[in-house]
Amino acid sequence: MGHAGAELIVAPSLLAADFAKLGAEAAAVERAGADWLHLDVMDGHFVPNITFGPLVVKALRPHTKLPLDTHLMIAPADPYIAAFAEAGADHISVHPEAGPHLHRTLQLIRSFGKKAGIVLNPATPVDSVAHVLDLADLIMVMTVNPGFGGQAFIASQLAKIAALRRMIDASGRDIRLQVDGGITPATAAQVLAAGADCLIAGTAIFGKPDYAAAIAEIRAAAPGRRPDFAVSAG
Ligand code: DX5
Ligand code: ZN
């Protein structure tokens, strides 16, 4: 994984699911063809919304075999890394602004045998990951301000995605480039063209009646994955 042309990963964000039946929703997107399940953890302090913590991750774990891609929007994050790891999170991603020692936080995540991720807010520069690439398995570009689903895609982030793709490729490292926020089939095509290889989508999947069709529509946005499109004109 982690290079341009790597197989596209689609990760539905459970934030847009029915919170009264999270286990069933997780199983439903697994059946519908999801690759990973994205879990948005919010503390009402780092971001202006509150969701759930490690107890809910632990409760979800038996309902799906999908890797749990856990996005921590909490500050501080370090005191809770062990709890999320023990709850069954497979990937744990943090924002550099959530604590003063990103390098140490990534080391801590890896010490539990988990994949470590760095999440960049719209104003956070690409340089914030440059000196910790050796500790990153995932880099995620926020194309909305974190805190809520259903917001509009911030197109200024396309240049950041392209810059990170160049940085990752130049490093030769095995790092996934994720995009989170405002992903639809139309914006998916833009971020994939810019070099992303993992798409997080909440509203565009859980907001649709047919999850399998919604996931397929997002996958179809990938360049080179639409042979029918090119030959169907005649
Ligand atoms: C926002 C979260 C996203 C959110 C995306 O803070 O990190 O994962 O679920 O929702 P949509 O796809 O609706 O923009
Ligand atoms: Zn997220």
Side-chain angles (χ1 to χ4, degrees):
M1 74 180 202
H3 53 87
E7 193 172 340
L8 173 62
I9 294 287
V10 176
S13 167
L14 207 58
L15 184 63
D18 181 345
F19 269 43
K21 49 175 190 177
L22 290 177
E25 293 275 64
V29 287
E30 180 170 3
R31 284 195 304 276
D35 299 298
W36 299 350
L37 186 67
H38 185 81
L39 302 179
D40 288 301
V41 177
M42 305 186 188
D43 67 354
H45 164 75
F46 184 71
V47 290
N49 196 6
I50 302 175
T51 55
F52 52 79
L55 286 175
V56 170
V57 176
K58 187 177 182 185
L60 277 166
R61 184 66 283 183
H63 292 271
T64 178
K65 293 189 175 65
L66 295 178
L68 299 180
D69 185 57
T70 309
H71 176 189
L72 299 186
M73 288 162 274
I74 64 176
D78 289 8
Y80 303 98
I81 300 295
F84 283 102
E86 285 158 15
D90 297 283
H91 312 159
I92 301 177
S93 295
V94 297
H95 288 251
E97 296 86 353
H101 302 292
L102 178 60
H103 186 281
R104 176 181 289 149
T105 304
L106 297 171
Q107 282 182 320
L108 180 62
I109 295 167
R110 284 218 175 147
S111 76
F112 292 101
K114 307 300 183 177
K115 292 197 185 301
I118 308 167
V119 192
L120 303 184
N121 279 334
T124 305
V126 165
D127 282 354
S128 57
V129 305
H131 299 283
V132 288
L133 287 182
D134 58 322
L135 289 172
D137 300 294
L138 311 148
I139 297 175
M140 183 152 63
V141 175
M142 294 304 304
T143 41
V144 298
N145 282 296
F148 302 94
Q151 302 181 82
F153 179 81
I154 301 174
S156 62
Q157 301 305 298
L158 289 167
K160 186 193 286 183
I161 295 165
L164 285 164
R165 168 51 59 203
R166 289 192 293 273
M167 186 187 287
I168 291 168
D169 286 352
S171 77
R173 293 189 179 278
D174 187 17
I175 299 172
R176 277 277 174 186
L177 181 53
Q178 307 176 274
V179 179
D180 187 10
I183 292 296
T184 63
T187 59
Q190 297 176 53
V191 304
L192 292 170
D197 58 19
C198 175
L199 304 178
I200 316 302
T203 312
I205 295 172
F206 285 106
K208 297 281 169 60
D210 183 340
Y211 298 167
I215 291 170
E217 209 184 333
I218 290 169
R219 278 195 206 287
R225 285 163 208 268
R226 337 172 45 167
D228 301 345
F229 187 79
V231 297
S232 62

